[in-house]
Amino acid sequence: QQHIKEVEAFTAKTEAEIEEFRIKYLGKKGVLTTFFAELKNVPPAEKKEFGQTVNALKQAATEKVAALKATAGSSKARQTQYGDLTRPGEPLPLGSAHPISIVRSRIIDIFSRIGFTVSEGPEIEDDWHNFTALNLPEYHPARDMQDTFFLQTDPDILLRTHTSSVQVRYMENHKPPIRTISPGRVYRNEAISARSHCFFHQVEGLYIDKGVSFADLKQTLQYFTQALFGKSRIRLRPSYFPFTEPSAEVDVYWGLETETDYKMTKGTGWLEIMGCGMVDPNVLDNCGIDSKTYSGYAFGMGIDRIALLLYQIPDIRLLSENDMRFLKQFKSAP
Ligand code: PHE
């Protein structure tokens, strides 16, 4: 009985230990052989019980050896030429969304809630879609508003200076009612500084239907600034764009509560966030939409500037330097 307890409690780490254990109990000169030899000396009255106990010990020892060998075998199988394949993996570092992506998704989300679709177009454009169709014929002085990168070999091919080009393409291929926004990267031949870069990102919007008015535009902008900034007090300042008439710059009232507000708004409380206006009838006609039947509004904003604003990022260049220490800070929506 004592031996059975010992056998059941036995554990072994190495194969040598298991083998030693096997020999001790089950070997030719092992404990069991001795007990079986002793059987003939046991008085007949006790023989039966003695025999049963010895058999139980034999079974326990046999099972123990088998069990130990099985676990030793499987832990051996884990050690392959690649190392231990059952070890848990190294934790993968989770990436985070780029601030431009976060802001772009928020803007798309806000406009999709009121029925705007998302449209995209090429970054390498032709003159017609970037300028001429938008009421900016060749030699029009307003072309200077957007300093352009041209392809050296072909002055007709350029890097788009705004995503208004996408809206031209959209109008050429869709009938009103049209409600779409075009997010995308744009390029301008500008000196790089903390405030401006030679490429940046825009979201432009276009709404065309029968009877669309400036009041519709203003209401949509108010809805948008409330949803994005939590501020719905806006101001429309008369401005000029060749493709809209009338045109306006949109300022949002940021307030003057903190010193940062004061600095950001140069003491006025107002921040310019986008341009907008009623689509010029010439543009509609250029794109195959009858300007006598339809009217519409358009607006355009820079995602980068808005990201700088929402996250209080001091320099636009940080957005394209891919410094991990900077990027890692953006985990969720602003
Ligand atoms: N396309 C203009 C720009 O890039 C923005 C704009 C879009 C203005 C639509 C008015 C209407 O500056």
Side-chain angles (χ1 to χ4, degrees):
Q1 289 293 357
Q2 176 65 29
H3 278 294
I4 294 179
K5 279 197 193 118
E6 216 174 276
V7 164
E8 280 169 353
F10 182 77
T11 58
K13 292 243 156 47
T14 67
E15 285 190 56
E17 277 168 13
I18 300 169
E19 184 59 10
E20 200 182 303
F21 174 83
R22 191 192 65 81
I23 291 168
K24 177 175 170 196
Y25 284 96
L26 302 166
K28 264 192 200 128
K29 291 176 188 162
V31 175
L32 277 160
T33 315
T34 329
F35 279 145
F36 280 123
E38 200 141 320
L39 196 56
K40 58 180 187 292
N41 303 327
V42 174
E46 293 167 28
K47 241 188 186 129
K48 189 177 171 200
E49 203 198 327
F50 184 86
Q52 279 172 347
T53 312
V54 173
N55 269 328
L57 175 62
K58 185 179 176 185
Q59 198 185 335
T62 315
E63 279 170 11
K64 191 69 172 191
V65 169
L68 288 173
K69 280 196 170 160
T71 40
S74 74
S75 79
K76 196 179 173 198
R78 286 194 247 138
Q79 296 291 341
T80 69
Q81 54 167 318
Y82 306 109
D84 182 353
L85 296 182
T86 63
R87 270 181 58 195
E90 296 288 327
L92 280 178
L94 257 196
S96 50
H98 192 281
I100 297 281
S101 301
I102 297 173
V103 174
R104 184 188 50 213
S105 320
R106 283 195 59 197
I107 296 173
I108 291 175
D109 182 57
I110 291 167
F111 281 106
S112 65
R113 271 183 256 153
I114 52 169
F116 282 77
T117 61
V118 172
S119 46
E120 287 182 339
E123 291 181 24
I124 301 171
E125 256 306 356
D126 52 40
D127 184 282
W128 169 258
H129 291 98
N130 196 81
F131 289 127
T132 307
L134 288 160
N135 213 22
L136 275 141
E138 213 183 339
Y139 305 119
H140 192 293
R143 284 197 177 198
D144 293 345
M145 286 166 79
Q146 302 178 351
D147 224 337
T148 311
F149 287 117
F150 291 95
L151 226 73
Q152 253 175 5
T153 45
D154 185 351
D156 190 45
I157 306 295
L158 46 90
L159 294 178
R160 68 181 180 196
T161 58
H162 49 191
T163 56
S164 304
S165 57
V166 181
Q167 314 197 317
V168 171
R169 289 177 178 276
Y170 197 89
M171 285 187 275
E172 286 172 342
N173 293 306
H174 295 80
K175 286 191 172 24
I178 288 172
R179 255 179 306 185
T180 189
I181 53 171
S182 341
R185 181 175 279 187
V186 301
Y187 302 82
R188 292 189 197 173
N189 190 3
E190 275 172 32
I192 298 171
S193 73
R195 289 290 296 156
S196 60
H197 213 297
C198 60
F199 66 83
F200 56 97
H201 304 78
Q202 280 191 328
V203 178
E204 296 214 351
L206 178 71
Y207 179 30
I208 297 171
D209 204 347
K210 287 178 184 153
V212 176
S213 73
F214 203 88
D216 297 326
L217 168 61
K218 190 174 177 191
Q219 184 61 51
T220 305
L221 296 175
Q222 237 159 3
Y223 155 77
F224 170 71
T225 56
Q226 174 63 41
L228 187 64
F229 306 116
K231 298 174 195 292
S232 62
R233 193 170 159 202
I234 59 170
R235 173 171 86 174
L236 296 166
R237 268 182 299 112
S239 184
Y240 172 76
F241 298 103
F243 28 87
T244 46
E245 183 60 35
S247 306
E249 305 280 357
V250 184
D251 297 343
V252 58
Y253 190 70
W254 204 260
L256 281 172
E257 275 151 43
T258 66
E259 204 170 317
T260 328
D261 293 343
Y262 200 86
K263 260 194 230 154
M264 276 194 324
T265 67
K266 300 194 180 76
T268 64
W270 293 97
L271 267 179
E272 183 190 316
I273 53 157
M274 65 171 114
C276 68
M278 300 305 290
V279 182
D280 192 299
N282 289 341
V283 175
L284 295 177
D285 292 330
N286 283 342
C287 300
I289 291 172
D290 181 8
S291 62
K292 289 191 193 66
T293 316
Y294 293 104
S295 60
Y297 63 69
F299 55 84
M301 67 193 102
I303 304 179
D304 307 59
R305 291 260 169 98
I306 292 176
L308 299 192
L309 194 62
L310 287 173
Y311 289 112
Q312 294 297 309
I313 300 166
D315 191 320
I316 200 170
R317 290 167 290 197
L318 285 164
L319 294 174
S320 51
E321 279 167 357
N322 287 336
D323 184 329
M324 289 296 281
R325 291 167 303 178
F326 170 74
L327 294 175
K328 271 199 305 209
Q329 299 174 71
F330 302 92
K331 293 265 186 286
S332 59

Tab-separated table of all heavy atoms in Angstrom, residues 146 161-164 167 188 202 204-205 241 243-244 248 275-277 298-301, ligand 1:
chain	number	residue	atom	x	y	z
A	146	GLN	N	-4.034	79.636	-57.587
A	146	GLN	CA	-3.577	78.294	-57.248
A	146	GLN	C	-2.338	77.969	-58.090
A	146	GLN	O	-2.443	77.537	-59.224
A	146	GLN	CB	-4.691	77.274	-57.523
A	146	GLN	CG	-5.956	77.598	-56.745
A	146	GLN	CD	-7.083	76.629	-57.036
A	146	GLN	OE1	-6.990	75.805	-57.934
A	146	GLN	NE2	-8.142	76.716	-56.253
A	161	THR	N	-5.108	71.003	-58.351
A	161	THR	CA	-4.894	72.012	-57.309
A	161	THR	C	-6.050	72.046	-56.322
A	161	THR	O	-5.978	72.694	-55.289
A	161	THR	CB	-4.758	73.408	-57.937
A	161	THR	OG1	-5.953	73.680	-58.681
A	161	THR	CG2	-3.561	73.463	-58.871
A	162	HIS	N	-7.139	71.378	-56.671
A	162	HIS	CA	-8.294	71.264	-55.769
A	162	HIS	C	-9.116	70.074	-56.222
A	162	HIS	O	-8.946	69.577	-57.338
A	162	HIS	CB	-9.138	72.549	-55.753
A	162	HIS	CG	-9.502	73.086	-57.114
A	162	HIS	ND1	-10.060	74.319	-57.304
A	162	HIS	CD2	-9.399	72.535	-58.362
A	162	HIS	CE1	-10.283	74.511	-58.597
A	162	HIS	NE2	-9.880	73.440	-59.250
A	163	THR	N	-10.010	69.601	-55.355
A	163	THR	CA	-10.821	68.461	-55.785
A	163	THR	C	-12.110	68.929	-56.471
A	163	THR	O	-12.998	68.130	-56.712
A	163	THR	CB	-11.132	67.485	-54.623
A	163	THR	OG1	-11.772	68.194	-53.558
A	163	THR	CG2	-9.877	66.818	-54.104
A	164	SER	N	-12.179	70.199	-56.815
A	164	SER	CA	-13.284	70.657	-57.666
A	164	SER	C	-13.271	69.879	-58.983
A	164	SER	O	-14.319	69.697	-59.614
A	164	SER	CB	-13.153	72.156	-57.968
A	164	SER	OG	-13.076	72.903	-56.787
A	167	GLN	N	-15.575	67.122	-58.936
A	167	GLN	CA	-16.974	67.502	-59.066
A	167	GLN	C	-17.345	67.734	-60.525
A	167	GLN	O	-18.455	67.422	-60.933
A	167	GLN	CB	-17.225	68.743	-58.231
A	167	GLN	CG	-16.590	68.546	-56.853
A	167	GLN	CD	-17.089	69.500	-55.818
A	167	GLN	OE1	-17.230	70.687	-56.092
A	167	GLN	NE2	-17.334	68.987	-54.643
A	188	ARG	N	-0.078	72.167	-54.677
A	188	ARG	CA	0.143	73.547	-55.135
A	188	ARG	C	1.609	73.907	-54.978
A	188	ARG	O	2.247	73.522	-53.988
A	188	ARG	CB	-0.728	74.536	-54.345
A	188	ARG	CG	-2.192	74.343	-54.684
A	188	ARG	CD	-3.074	75.399	-54.114
A	188	ARG	NE	-4.465	74.896	-54.137
A	188	ARG	CZ	-5.484	75.508	-53.601
A	188	ARG	NH1	-5.317	76.666	-52.993
A	188	ARG	NH2	-6.688	74.998	-53.671
A	202	GLN	N	-8.116	67.996	-49.208
A	202	GLN	CA	-9.346	68.787	-49.224
A	202	GLN	C	-10.569	67.900	-49.138
A	202	GLN	O	-10.514	66.721	-49.498
A	202	GLN	CB	-9.465	69.527	-50.572
A	202	GLN	CG	-8.645	70.785	-50.683
A	202	GLN	CD	-9.042	71.576	-51.922
A	202	GLN	OE1	-9.437	70.998	-52.936
A	202	GLN	NE2	-8.946	72.885	-51.842
A	204	GLU	N	-14.269	68.738	-50.793
A	204	GLU	CA	-15.164	69.698	-51.423
A	204	GLU	C	-16.543	69.067	-51.531
A	204	GLU	O	-16.668	67.852	-51.667
A	204	GLU	CB	-14.636	70.079	-52.810
A	204	GLU	CG	-13.303	70.797	-52.716
A	204	GLU	CD	-13.117	71.848	-53.787
A	204	GLU	OE1	-13.941	71.915	-54.711
A	204	GLU	OE2	-12.127	72.605	-53.688
A	205	GLY	N	-17.566	69.897	-51.449
A	205	GLY	CA	-18.934	69.384	-51.513
A	205	GLY	C	-19.716	70.041	-52.632
A	205	GLY	O	-19.426	71.180	-53.024
A	241	PHE	N	-14.577	83.356	-56.151
A	241	PHE	CA	-14.056	82.160	-56.818
A	241	PHE	C	-14.654	82.160	-58.216
A	241	PHE	O	-15.831	82.519	-58.383
A	241	PHE	CB	-14.473	80.873	-56.094
A	241	PHE	CG	-13.949	80.771	-54.692
A	241	PHE	CD1	-14.787	81.026	-53.604
A	241	PHE	CD2	-12.622	80.418	-54.442
A	241	PHE	CE1	-14.303	80.932	-52.308
A	241	PHE	CE2	-12.140	80.334	-53.150
A	241	PHE	CZ	-12.974	80.588	-52.077
A	243	PHE	N	-15.628	79.820	-60.014
A	243	PHE	CA	-16.640	78.777	-60.257
A	243	PHE	C	-17.902	78.956	-59.430
A	243	PHE	O	-18.844	78.177	-59.555
A	243	PHE	CB	-16.045	77.386	-60.012
A	243	PHE	CG	-14.921	77.377	-59.006
A	243	PHE	CD1	-15.180	77.262	-57.645
A	243	PHE	CD2	-13.605	77.502	-59.433
A	243	PHE	CE1	-14.134	77.262	-56.731
A	243	PHE	CE2	-12.565	77.514	-58.516
A	243	PHE	CZ	-12.818	77.396	-57.168
A	244	THR	N	-17.934	79.949	-58.549
A	244	THR	CA	-19.157	80.198	-57.773
A	244	THR	C	-19.524	81.679	-57.839
A	244	THR	O	-18.661	82.547	-57.925
A	244	THR	CB	-18.981	79.799	-56.293
A	244	THR	OG1	-17.734	80.311	-55.818
A	244	THR	CG2	-18.998	78.290	-56.109
A	248	ALA	N	-18.294	83.069	-50.984
A	248	ALA	CA	-18.052	83.538	-49.609
A	248	ALA	C	-16.971	82.708	-48.933
A	248	ALA	O	-16.729	81.554	-49.315
A	248	ALA	CB	-19.344	83.455	-48.796
A	275	GLY	N	-14.145	77.856	-48.161
A	275	GLY	CA	-14.734	78.723	-49.176
A	275	GLY	C	-16.005	78.065	-49.693
A	275	GLY	O	-16.152	76.844	-49.648
A	276	CYS	N	-16.918	78.889	-50.213
A	276	CYS	CA	-18.173	78.310	-50.699
A	276	CYS	C	-18.867	79.278	-51.644
A	276	CYS	O	-18.414	80.401	-51.849
A	276	CYS	CB	-19.096	77.984	-49.527
A	276	CYS	SG	-19.714	79.450	-48.684
A	277	GLY	N	-19.975	78.844	-52.193
A	277	GLY	CA	-20.757	79.734	-53.045
A	277	GLY	C	-21.773	78.959	-53.860
A	277	GLY	O	-21.847	77.731	-53.784
A	298	ALA	N	-21.622	74.887	-53.718
A	298	ALA	CA	-20.386	74.117	-53.565
A	298	ALA	C	-19.595	74.710	-52.411
A	298	ALA	O	-19.767	75.886	-52.061
A	298	ALA	CB	-19.564	74.167	-54.852
A	299	PHE	N	-18.780	73.896	-51.808
A	299	PHE	CA	-17.894	74.399	-50.753
A	299	PHE	C	-16.623	73.557	-50.761
A	299	PHE	O	-16.595	72.457	-51.331
A	299	PHE	CB	-18.587	74.330	-49.379
A	299	PHE	CG	-19.100	72.955	-49.025
A	299	PHE	CD1	-18.268	72.000	-48.465
A	299	PHE	CD2	-20.433	72.625	-49.274
A	299	PHE	CE1	-18.744	70.736	-48.154
A	299	PHE	CE2	-20.920	71.358	-48.966
A	299	PHE	CZ	-20.076	70.409	-48.398
A	300	GLY	N	-15.567	74.103	-50.175
A	300	GLY	CA	-14.305	73.360	-50.144
A	300	GLY	C	-13.500	73.747	-48.918
A	300	GLY	O	-13.447	74.918	-48.541
A	301	MET	N	-12.910	72.724	-48.273
A	301	MET	CA	-12.109	73.026	-47.069
A	301	MET	C	-10.843	72.176	-47.064
A	301	MET	O	-10.770	71.131	-47.722
A	301	MET	CB	-12.937	72.748	-45.816
A	301	MET	CG	-13.254	71.274	-45.613
A	301	MET	SD	-14.511	71.032	-44.359
A	301	MET	CE	-15.957	70.706	-45.350
B	1	PHE	N1	-11.832	75.016	-54.903
B	1	PHE	C1	-11.627	76.038	-53.915
B	1	PHE	C2	-10.176	75.967	-53.431
B	1	PHE	O1	-9.536	75.008	-53.609
B	1	PHE	C3	-12.531	75.880	-52.720
B	1	PHE	C4	-13.948	76.133	-53.077
B	1	PHE	C5	-14.744	75.062	-53.451
B	1	PHE	C6	-14.498	77.384	-53.035
B	1	PHE	C7	-16.057	75.265	-53.786
B	1	PHE	C8	-15.812	77.590	-53.351
B	1	PHE	C9	-16.585	76.543	-53.729
B	1	PHE	O2	-9.689	76.925	-52.879
